[in-house]
Amino acid sequence: MSKIIQAIRGMNDILPAATPHWQFLEQTLRDLMASYGYEEIRLPLLERTELFSRAIGEVTDIVEKEMYTFADRNGDSLTLRPEGTAGCVRGAIENGLLYNQVQRLWYLGPMFRHERPQKGRYRQFHQIGVEAFGMAGPEIDAELILMTARLWGKLGLCPAPENSKGENSQAANGKNLTLQLNSLGSLAARAVYREQLVKYFSGRQEQLDEDSKRRLHTNPLRILDSKNPDLQTLIANAPRLSDYLDDDAKAHFTELCAYLDAAGLAYRINPRLVRGLDYYNKTVFEWVSDALGAQGTVCAGGRYDGLVEQIGGKPTAAVGFAAGLERLVALLEVHGESRIQAPHAYLITAGAGASRAGMLLAERLRDALPNLRLITNCDGGNLKSQLKKADKSGAQFALILAEQELAENYVSVKPLRMQDQQQLAVSIPALAEFLSHYL
Ligand code: ATP
Ligand code: MG
């Protein structure tokens, strides 16, 4: 035998046992997007490297060490998209979608980051991204956040907003997803704050770890994001961004909070929430689960009013979020409901001519009952071995078409899941009607 070729580390096969959760999640997302008037946009997986280094920032984790970058046959530097916002902004500008108009867009698909694979962190993973363009006020920030809260409700991960209590406590959100909120202010205000932060950490360099020392002059805000337990006291005593916010950002944030309060959605203001990408301003938020260990952030987003211009478009207000589907599927699995859809029936045939008649019967049943899930035995075997396969498939009924049935135009229907139920003879013209009661 030849040597087995293995998949690339951190790039997973999603197997049939898991795909029902994925399908449920994706369908719920599509329905949710439609219910808020968001339209789908489909974007390439590959973009010019320059797009990401310019949009995400040269000194971010993603651009410094996580991108899959290679030269194509023409020598152009291309990168597998590590996130969707940059490509979405590029596509929206290029196709004239941002010219004097508001856009509500979403996309769903794989992203690629060369990270250390572990539970909840992969090298190919999937995100839904939602981006709203052309709206500068806090209303749209609130809409996006309420939309995510509704999503948890629809997925059965958390009560929908109308059912929560409206207190700013963790418990009011029920289950275990917490909304964290912060404001990064304007880029100008952040620059002033950045100076203060550099001053503070520079005076305490001996307490910093290697990563933080490196970030001190390139991206000092990211030190606040450090997960190193030894740095937590130092970080807790650092100057606070909230003390440096400009009035416009302050008013925006206060109003956003008022919208969330009015909707009864609980949140926690986390002054240390800075996010790993450079393009954010004003609102940033994350939804964090306590059921996933260290990889607990299932959804993250914020406002990025400067990005469109940075990528060559006209100044355009923008806000969005991305949610990691692997982590959401993991939560669906924690909450346990099985979504595997067993077939309703499994068709067995035996004897001359029965196999062909069976195939045609199956087609007619599917004509009559579009929702019927019917498996036709296609790999031979005697009645006993076919019945075993029928049972293993999880079907409710085995439909048996052997010589006698064929001669007398009926099917023997053997219930496989219901105790004490006898085998029935159902005439072929009545079979669809019979099955329709079990769909
Ligand atoms: P983290 O802090 O976990 O690295 P991030 O800030 O890099 O997350 P974003 O770029 O904001 O993440 O992506 C949004 C969401 O996408 C995350 O909250 C997470 O659910 C998911 N995500 C990000 N990176 C990965 C990954 N490597 N594997 C699986 N999911 C991921
Ligand atoms: Mg990351």
Side-chain angles (χ1 to χ4, degrees):
M1 264 209 285
S2 308
K3 187 167 174 281
I4 292 170
I5 299 173
Q6 290 182 327
I8 296 166
R9 210 163 97 82
M11 305 208 175
N12 299 318
D13 304 308
I14 300 171
L15 300 177
T19 46
H21 285 303
W22 283 83
Q23 290 175 357
F24 167 68
L25 174 57
E26 288 161 1
Q27 194 53 48
T28 306
L29 287 168
R30 281 193 198 99
D31 294 345
L32 181 76
M33 291 305 133
S35 80
Y36 281 80
Y38 285 65
E39 295 174 297
E40 186 182 8
I41 183 165
R42 299 195 182 194
L43 301 154
L45 302 191
L46 271 179
E47 298 275 0
R48 290 177 199 285
T49 303
E50 186 195 355
L51 174 68
F52 301 115
S53 39
R54 217 201 289 175
I56 299 171
E58 291 282 0
V59 286
T60 54
D61 281 354
I62 293 181
V63 173
E64 272 185 342
K65 52 187 188 199
E66 294 176 359
M67 295 204 301
Y68 279 92
T69 297
F70 60 93
D72 81 352
R73 289 172 188 280
N74 304 327
D76 296 330
S77 180
L78 305 183
T79 294
L80 276 167
R81 63 181 188 189
E83 55 95 65
T85 303
C88 185
V89 169
R90 197 255 329 123
I93 296 171
E94 195 168 339
N95 295 288
L97 304 188
L98 302 182
Y99 192 70
N100 278 346
Q101 54 194 319
V102 154
Q103 288 288 351
R104 288 177 162 86
L105 303 174
W106 67 273
Y107 48 83
L108 187 157
M111 306 293 163
F112 304 85
R113 296 184 193 175
H114 196 277
E115 305 195 66
R116 190 169 70 79
Q118 51 196 294
K119 189 169 166 281
R121 190 176 295 289
Y122 310 103
R123 290 180 174 177
Q124 174 172 332
F125 62 99
H126 298 76
Q127 283 183 340
I128 171 143
V130 181
E131 319 285 358
F133 296 101
M135 291 165 274
E139 298 88 343
I140 187 68
D141 306 24
E143 174 174 287
L144 288 172
I145 292 173
L146 291 175
M147 173 198 267
T148 54
R150 182 173 299 279
L151 174 62
W152 317 140
K154 287 192 182 291
L155 295 174
L157 302 178
C158 197
E162 60 266 31
N163 300 331
S164 63
K165 300 255 167 46
E167 297 153 20
N168 287 346
S169 76
Q170 219 160 313
N173 260 337
K175 290 207 176 155
N176 48 21
L177 276 170
T178 318
L179 173 60
Q180 302 195 2
L181 209 58
N182 194 20
S183 176
L184 298 181
S186 66
L187 293 181
R190 218 176 341 150
V192 176
Y193 172 66
R194 188 191 140 112
E195 262 175 48
Q196 295 305 313
L197 208 55
V198 173
K199 211 186 266 172
Y200 171 83
F201 284 123
S202 297
R204 296 161 180 80
Q205 281 210 42
E206 70 292 345
Q207 299 177 49
L208 293 176
D209 59 12
E210 282 314 307
D211 253 358
S212 304
K213 273 186 195 145
R214 200 166 44 80
R215 284 179 175 147
L216 185 53
H217 293 285
T218 53
N219 200 348
L221 263 75
R222 290 284 284 147
I223 301 177
L224 301 178
D225 211 19
S226 165
K227 308 265 172 354
N228 184 347
D230 299 340
L231 294 186
Q232 295 314 309
T233 319
L234 186 66
I235 289 172
N237 295 325
R240 289 183 166 232
L241 180 51
S242 50
D243 296 332
Y244 292 82
L245 289 187
D246 48 298
D247 291 342
D248 180 33
K250 258 189 218 159
H252 188 102
F253 194 60
T254 308
E255 242 186 285
L256 169 61
C257 292
Y259 273 103
L260 300 182
D261 291 339
L265 185 66
Y267 54 86
R268 190 165 77 74
I269 296 175
N270 175 2
R272 305 289 162 217
L273 184 66
V274 294
R275 308 281 306 115
L277 298 80
D278 271 2
Y279 51 57
Y280 289 111
N281 67 304
K282 290 187 179 160
T283 313
V284 287
F285 68 94
E286 285 192 359
W287 282 95
V288 184
S289 164
D290 60 11
L292 295 174
Q295 270 60 252
T297 305
V298 294
C299 172
R303 185 163 274 283
Y304 52 94
D305 295 324
L307 185 62
V308 175
E309 195 179 8
Q310 205 174 307
I311 300 186
K314 292 223 173 77
T316 305
V319 53
F321 69 81
L325 302 198
E326 279 76 4
R327 294 181 193 178
L328 290 176
V329 167
L331 284 182
L332 289 174
E333 283 167 353
V334 170
H335 290 292
E337 201 175 315
S338 167
R339 297 186 197 279
I340 291 178
Q341 294 199 308
H344 298 108
Y346 189 105
L347 179 69
I348 286 169
T349 59
S355 169
R356 196 170 309 154
M359 187 70 78
L360 296 180
L361 171 61
E363 285 303 306
R364 254 178 277 133
L365 288 172
R366 294 188 187 103
D367 288 341
L369 304 170
N371 295 326
L372 175 69
R373 294 190 296 274
L374 169 65
I375 294 180
T376 306
N377 189 79
C378 287
D379 58 343
N382 60 26
L383 275 184
K384 197 171 157 214
S385 78
Q386 291 188 60
L387 263 177
K388 256 197 195 150
K389 282 188 260 177
D391 192 38
K392 206 174 155 209
S393 76
Q396 290 179 60
F397 299 104
L399 308 179
I400 305 164
L401 188 64
E403 267 162 57
Q404 189 182 346
E405 283 90 351
L406 195 56
E408 297 173 25
N409 206 33
Y410 73 94
V411 165
S412 296
V413 178
K414 185 176 165 59
L416 298 171
R417 309 280 148 224
M418 293 157 268
Q419 299 274 312
D420 323 318
Q421 288 250 350
Q422 295 300 308
Q423 185 163 312
L424 303 166
V426 179
S427 79
I428 286 182
L431 188 54
E433 155 73 11
F434 171 86
L435 289 173
S436 71
H437 297 291
Y438 297 93
L439 301 189

